[in-house]
Amino acid sequence: MQFQFRDKYVATEEPIIIGLPHEPAQMDNYEEVDTLLNGQLDAIIKEDVLSTEFGVVTTTGAIIQRDYRKVIAVGLGDARALDRVKLSEALGVMFQFLKQTDTVKGQILLDTFPVDSHMAAELVAIMAEISVYEFNSYKVDQAPLFSETAAFSITSSVDIKETVSHYGKLGEGIIMARNFSETPPNLMTPEVMADKIAEIFESHPYVTGEVKDAATLEAEGYGLITAVGKASYAKPRLVTIEYRHPDAKGYKPVALVGKGVTYDTGGYSIKSKTGMPEMKYDMSGAANVIGMVHAVSNMSLPVHIIGVVALAENMIDGNAMRPDDVYISYSGQSVEVKNTDAEGRLVLGDAVFHASQYSPSLIMDFATLTGAVVAALGEERTGVFTNKDAAFLNPLIEMTEQTGEAVWQLPISEVEEKNVRQSAVADLTNHVEKPGRASFAACFIKQFANGTPWIHFDIAGTGTTSKTTPSGPKGATGVMIHTIVKMFETGHFHG
Ligand code: BES
Ligand code: MN
Ligand code: ZN
């Protein structure tokens, strides 16, 4: 979406777009807006022409400086309750209204939002990208995307141009991740995804990368990702991208690892005909890691990141892995495969151990890992697990309260440590027929962290949404990109 910037209202033919709190006097520019509306702002609200109700968009016409103009208002409710999450919601609803009504031009009066101008600008930039997201589909009659045609001006007494451009990059990271996830699986194979990643980061400042192909993975002992990917014509890849800002010298890197199963049929432990559709989204962890690195590098944040994405397609052929097989992981630990549908933990086992070789101060992995986490926490909370104490998660949890990306910690304990070692023939097993499957899966991955502080995000429920929300349509969400980028930005992971 294009923006232009103004420092005061200019009479144009564009509709004017305002935020409307319960007490409009709380707007920084109450006088100005009231004057534009011929001193009728209070009356317009009192007569219920425009609503101040939170998240409700209403419109009216007004004679503004002798011309008839459309006024579009998003209700903000009680200004005192307008935190970042609330404001994001209101802005999302506002942009979605503009999209639905084909309003591709308009003048947003930022001072009508009764919060810090830079905070308003930041959230406008992010929500403008994500709330009206639309996948550029393969429909013959796909209309041009709203995001490509829309061009709004933002009028603000404070100069917020840089802020909008900076956080637009965060929004773009989320869009990039969603585009990866939405692309059909025949068109987003491990090879295609690896090539796209290489292309995206090719000339990025401070970014270097490496792609390991199937032959290399096998030769170098990445036995788990090799096993998962070997039955597909589309062979696996392990992609590592390193972003190292010169100001981050002397810091150990933070590793971000993503599950990139480009399609999950379940393998011989095959999924049902209702369980298989949507499994194109099983690479959303990888997509979100790419979105994070893209945002952080575009925003030029002074940090050091290793992004690792494990790309494989879980298919069936005469050479597919079977339940009972044993494979040697990159870490050297042997693994008995008891369920070929528990493939995410296998690719992550190798990828997390690979990440640990860069001596990071922290490894975080993101994976659409278990149906169990969806049963436990639903679609709106990501399950988080760590090999550190619970307090270790506090800064992260506090950040999620700002971004609205809720997380909930789930345990890993001696119970799981014992269960993952239940194989009669190998060091570890990828599955036992017992409940508690989200914790079991997390504990399996933990065995590959090599003692590095580690946080695992099970995004099986939150990686996609089944309904439109103010943050975007049904489908891939790009969950956790916002939170993790903000954590890097506020220096939480370094120093
Ligand atoms: N990709 C799935 C998990 C999943 C399920 C993601 C539903 C999104 C929605 C994963 O690979 C899987 O198949 N997990 C199994 C593991 C089981 C066989 C131990 C599960 O959770 O049922
Ligand atoms: Mn599976
Ligand atoms: Zn899977």
Side-chain angles (χ1 to χ4, degrees), residues 259 264 271 279 282 339 341-345 368-372 374 431 437 460:
K259 170 180 174 181
D264 183 10
K271 289 186 181 294
M279 280 302 142
D282 215 18
N339 188 317
D341 198 11
E343 85 297 339
R345 63 203 71 179
T368 48
L369 202 68
T370 67
V374 194
H431 176 65
R437 290 179 172 180

Side-chain angles (χ1 to χ4, degrees), residues 91-112:
L91 290 168
V93 168
M94 178 189 94
F95 281 115
Q96 288 170 350
F97 177 90
L98 297 173
K99 178 170 185 238
Q100 274 150 24
T101 54
D102 257 321
T103 310
V104 294
K105 285 199 161 57
Q107 186 165 178
I108 300 169
L109 303 188
L110 202 67
D111 295 347
T112 60

Side-chain angles (χ1 to χ4, degrees), residues 165-228:
S165 127
H166 187 67
Y167 289 101
K169 294 166 184 168
L170 205 172
E172 283 166 21
I174 298 174
I175 297 313
M176 171 175 286
R178 289 180 183 178
N179 283 335
F180 270 119
S181 292
E182 292 296 341
T183 304
N186 58 324
L187 305 175
M188 189 52 71
T189 60
E191 181 182 1
V192 171
M193 191 156 168
D195 289 351
K196 284 229 152 67
I197 295 167
E199 190 187 310
I200 288 165
F201 289 100
E202 198 177 359
S203 53
H204 240 76
Y206 320 133
V207 178
T208 53
E210 185 207 20
V211 179
K212 289 189 194 291
D213 65 11
T216 309
L217 288 168
E218 184 167 14
E220 294 183 359
Y222 294 80
L224 302 184
I225 181 167
T226 300
V228 170

Side-chain angles (χ1 to χ4, degrees), residues 425-484:
V425 294
D427 298 320
L428 301 169
T429 178
N430 79 332
H431 176 65
V432 292
E433 280 299 333
K434 281 184 188 163
R437 290 179 172 180
S439 290
F440 178 95
C443 186
F444 182 89
I445 299 170
K446 173 174 177 271
Q447 309 310 313
F448 299 86
N450 210 3
T452 309
W454 158 85
I455 305 173
H456 158 62
F457 296 76
D458 192 335
I459 61 166
T462 51
T464 53
T465 170
S466 58
K467 56 176 197 305
T468 301
T469 73
S471 293
K474 177 176 169 333
T477 55
V479 71
M480 287 300 142
I481 298 175
H482 189 168
T483 301
I484 298 300

Side-chain angles (χ1 to χ4, degrees), residues 274-352:
T274 52
M276 203 182 298
E278 308 252 300
M279 280 302 142
K280 71 169 182 180
Y281 293 117
D282 215 18
M283 34 59 75
S284 294
N288 296 3
V289 164
I290 297 306
M292 289 170 199
V293 180
H294 193 255
V296 167
S297 60
N298 260 351
M299 292 163 87
S300 250
L301 300 183
V303 298
H304 184 187
I305 299 180
I306 308 289
V308 177
V309 295
L311 305 170
E313 189 179 37
N314 190 18
M315 299 288 277
I316 296 174
D317 77 353
N319 180 44
M321 62 173 178
R322 22 177 131 43
D324 290 343
D325 279 356
V326 171
Y327 297 98
I328 308 300
S329 68
Y330 185 51
S331 73
Q333 300 171 95
S334 59
V335 175
E336 183 181 18
V337 173
K338 277 293 182 190
N339 188 317
T340 64
D341 198 11
E343 85 297 339
R345 63 203 71 179
L346 296 176
V347 301
L348 283 172
D350 275 353
V352 164

Side-chain angles (χ1 to χ4, degrees), residues 13 19 38 59 71 141 161 207 232 235 257 264 431 444:
E13 287 179 359
N38 314 305
T59 66
V71 178
D141 62 352
K161 196 171 173 204
V207 178
S232 175
K235 294 298 175 209
V257 182
D264 183 10
H431 176 65
F444 182 89

